[in-house]
Amino acid sequence: MTAVPARPTVDKAILDLAEALRPALLRTSRALRREAQRAGVSALDAQILGAVKKHPGIGVSTLADHEQMTRPSMSSHVKRLEAAGWIGRDAASEEDRRRVGLRITATGQKALDAIRRRRNDWLAARLSTLSPEARAALAAAAEPLTRLAGDR
């Protein structure tokens, strides 16, 4: 029988907060993924496009590491996005012509804009139903949640 690792000692209030936040964050994340799919793009495609936009010239291997995927899997996704015209490849430098950097194309940027617009519209519609106090609480939580998630 495999031993279960010991649970780290954490304050009960922190565990209660984790229990309260986890389902809300998961449901929100699922809903935002659905909005990407409604824009005609998978959540993974949106994630890859966003990463390439944020890091122009990134290589496939670095992108795979960044997105915590295997390199062959990332290579397949990049080839598919390239075939769709959403990602382009450029020689990264004169010194190492074998290394190829990725960039988002104008078509890829339009797809990314459509995803962001749908996601923002979905979220704004729900935020508008909340009280000003609740919206202020969420505004205050945005930065700590970004830190919690680890801004990749």
Side-chain angles (χ1 to χ4, degrees):
M1 180 151 77
T2 306
V4 176
R7 194 171 183 185
T9 304
V10 178
D11 182 273
K12 180 171 176 5
I14 292 174
L15 286 172
D16 290 346
L17 178 59
E19 182 68 25
L21 284 175
R22 183 187 40 75
L25 293 171
L26 287 171
R27 283 193 304 272
T28 302
S29 179
R30 275 190 219 115
L32 292 171
R33 279 195 308 271
R34 279 193 304 270
E35 290 305 311
Q37 291 168 340
R38 288 185 178 123
V41 180
S42 76
L44 178 59
D45 288 350
Q47 188 173 324
I48 293 170
L49 286 172
V52 171
K53 179 183 174 152
K54 188 173 182 178
H55 306 284
I58 193 170
V60 175
S61 294
T62 305
L63 182 60
D65 294 344
H66 186 269
E67 296 301 320
Q68 299 175 346
M69 295 177 64
T70 66
R71 290 175 179 168
S73 180
M74 181 57 77
S75 181
S76 296
H77 289 293
V78 166
K79 285 177 185 172
R80 187 176 42 74
L81 291 171
E82 185 178 24
W86 291 358
I87 286 180
R89 295 176 189 248
D90 295 322
S93 68
E94 285 294 316
E95 298 85 43
D96 187 359
R97 292 184 183 195
R98 294 172 298 164
R99 187 182 177 288
V100 173
L102 302 173
R103 63 176 163 72
I104 190 167
T105 65
T107 305
Q109 184 61 56
K110 285 180 186 173
L112 193 56
D113 290 345
I115 296 161
R116 288 185 173 157
R117 192 169 35 256
R118 284 195 73 97
R119 287 175 167 176
N120 284 342
D121 289 350
W122 178 90
L123 197 51
R126 274 129 193 99
L127 288 169
S128 70
T129 67
L130 299 177
S131 70
E133 295 81 14
R135 287 194 304 271
L138 288 172
E143 191 274 329
L145 284 170
T146 299
R147 270 191 289 129
L148 184 67
D151 185 32
R152 303 184 307 154

